[in-house]
Amino acid sequence: MSSHYCLLPFLFLSLPILVTSLTPYPYETSYRINCGSQTTFTNKYNQTWLSDRYYTGGSSGLVSEPNQFKSTQQYQTIRFFPISSGKKNCYSIPNLINGKYFIRTFTVYDNYDSKLHSPSFDVSIEDTVVFQRRYPWPQNVDKNGAFSDLMTFVEDGQADICFYSIATDAPVIGSLEIIQIDPLSYDSSSIGNNVMFVSYGRLSCGYDASGLGFSNVDKFGRRWQNDRGFRVYYSNPNMVKDLRTKNNILGTNQRPNYFPKELYQTAVTHLGNGALEYELSVDAKLDYLVWFHFAEIDVSVNSAGKRVFDVLINQRNVSRIDIFKQVGGFAALNWRYIIKNLNSTSLSVKLVPVVGAPIICGLESYALVRKDISTVHDQVIAMRALKESLRVPDRMGWNGDPCAPSSWDAWEGVTCHTNKQKSALVVSKIDLGSQGLKGYISEQISLLVNLVSLNLSTNSLEGALPSGLGHHSLVRLDLSNNKFSGSIPYSLSASSLQLALLNDNELEGIVPEKVYSIGVHGGVIDLSGNKGLCGVPSLPACPIFWRSGGLSTAGKVLIALSCLIILSIILVTIYICIKRGRSHYEFAPPQDLISIAAKRNRYHRQKSMMLFEMQQSPNRFSTTLNPL
């Protein structure tokens, strides 16, 4: 896309009046972020500007002349993203209700870094490049700043506004606004949810020089610019007359577009019944939606047929308009036209009189930019999980979508390609060797079903290898020179590995036979430097009851028998203890035991008497006694 696409010259305004909504509005979700500021404040229009948040990196700064934004505090500070934060940085706004949003950025340089060099960078919204800034910026933009806005659908609950550095320049942003709008606005039902409406001009015809006096009552937060700088004069400029009324205008502030009545209370016409023409700068090779605003606010035109004119777009007659015939007096009329594949960098709108003089209240121009494809959602989840678990440093710029926009490079060390259906992007390669990583591999890596090559070698990664590490697509795996522990996951047997470098780790256990067979079938495998691995040639033998992937049948039987024997011993012990306990508590001893005890007592008495008699008469014969 050309530089015109980004610069949007008709939106470069000096000190804009803020946008707000003073009346109830059915869509309440809105964020206004004061980029670079540490404080939250509420302005005179009851808008709350949040302190800087939701950014992925960068630093805060202050414009060189903050006093020029004295009445607009939110434009005094900026956030910039030096190359040390990586080439890609984002604002990621979470917890959004899925729907259509109006998104506006304010960008200003004002020599905040004293380098007198405005930066070159791209801006993407929802994974599609929409704005570009190129050095040198126009002087008024450099100093006073510029607004750029669009309308788009958010369908995953999060809006990503990302900045991509060109060369070593630091992207910069002054403020960011996200406002929920009606999903059917601007005929989205027929144009589609997959198209962005990128503004190339929003004109209020006949309004005063400031051009923004009614923006605070626009429900969408649209900024309306005075049209004078875009008129094309064929004769005396004084022949173009501004019209104004205080009468109420019917049909305004209604769904789905909520156009404010103030837009239709001013208009321009031609005193000499001549043509009115406007010229807007655009990009070639894009489709454009041109939206017209009409109202008959001249009391002298009080019936159909008194004011009739043709609408020409780039010299092509596309419609004939009779406002009073269609809606009557003091009522809003909206009409739109889509011009396909514009082949020039200017958009000409001309109103040619048929009866009386033409009249117009407002004019909008939007490039219809089809959203770029993005990364498969599950793989975005996986890559963000890896970013956290691997502790990927900020300098690598792992922010936003891992692969999108397709016109940018993917995350550093990541390679992507389109899926078979050409409908999304997938991750095919991760190369983070020797990056000083100190984390572990997240289990979410199992979601990378298109991963062909993974290199995490020569870092300080630890922990067990995820059970879902191997997919059929995986061909190259290099995890060497880390601190991984545990066993080699059996899932690697299902992969298509031709290279497996697992050396110099702390792995243990049996090596799956299919993993080891990589070397047998012409591939390369290195398992050295792991003292606990076993079971394949060049490694120690494993215990007999182990096999690849777990216990052998014999091992399982042996363990089962051991458990049975131990259980039997426990049960027998419990039985004996119970029997002994019962004997101890019997109160009536058996009769046989009583008889035996009596005989023993009688024997001991007789023995004692015999011994006594022997002592008294040593010549007597001894008596033979049977103790029983």
Side-chain angles (χ1 to χ4, degrees), residues 199-230:
S199 177
Y200 272 69
R202 188 177 296 112
L203 308 181
S204 174
C205 302
Y207 204 77
D208 59 40
S210 64
L212 293 170
F214 64 87
S215 291
N216 63 306
V217 296
D218 189 306
K219 300 292 192 297
F220 285 9
R222 290 161 293 211
R223 296 179 183 272
W224 296 89
Q225 188 174 3
N226 181 268
D227 69 321
R228 288 184 176 84
F230 306 95

Side-chain angles (χ1 to χ4, degrees), residues 275-350:
L276 294 175
E277 185 171 1
Y278 292 91
E279 187 170 307
L280 306 176
S281 296
V282 294
D283 275 332
K285 306 303 180 183
L286 290 173
D287 297 344
Y288 284 85
L289 170 67
V290 186
W291 201 279
F292 295 84
H293 300 276
F294 301 113
E296 187 52 77
I297 62 174
D298 187 343
V299 294
S300 65
V301 179
N302 52 19
S303 64
K306 283 194 172 183
R307 189 195 304 275
V308 181
F309 54 90
D310 290 336
V311 178
L312 280 68
I313 297 180
N314 280 19
Q315 312 308 317
R316 180 183 178 184
N317 193 327
V318 294
S319 184
R320 178 161 291 184
I321 303 293
D322 185 336
I323 302 171
F324 199 97
K325 180 180 179 180
Q326 292 180 256
V327 295
F330 296 95
L333 171 62
N334 299 303
W335 181 77
R336 69 157 179 98
Y337 182 81
I338 295 178
I339 181 170
K340 298 284 188 178
N341 197 25
L342 190 64
N343 58 7
S344 69
T345 57
S346 64
L347 178 63
S348 171
V349 174
K350 191 174 184 178

Side-chain angles (χ1 to χ4, degrees), residues 369-387:
V369 180
R370 185 164 294 277
K371 286 186 178 181
D372 201 352
I373 58 175
S374 56
T375 306
V376 172
H377 182 64
D378 283 353
Q379 299 201 17
V380 174
I381 293 174
M383 293 302 292
R384 288 176 178 172
L386 284 174
K387 175 186 175 181

Side-chain angles (χ1 to χ4, degrees), residues 26 70 154 173 220 244 355 374 389 422 426 552:
K70 189 174 182 180
V154 174
I173 182 172
F220 285 9
R244 186 181 302 270
V355 178
S374 56
S389 70
K422 306 296 181 183
V426 294
S552 64

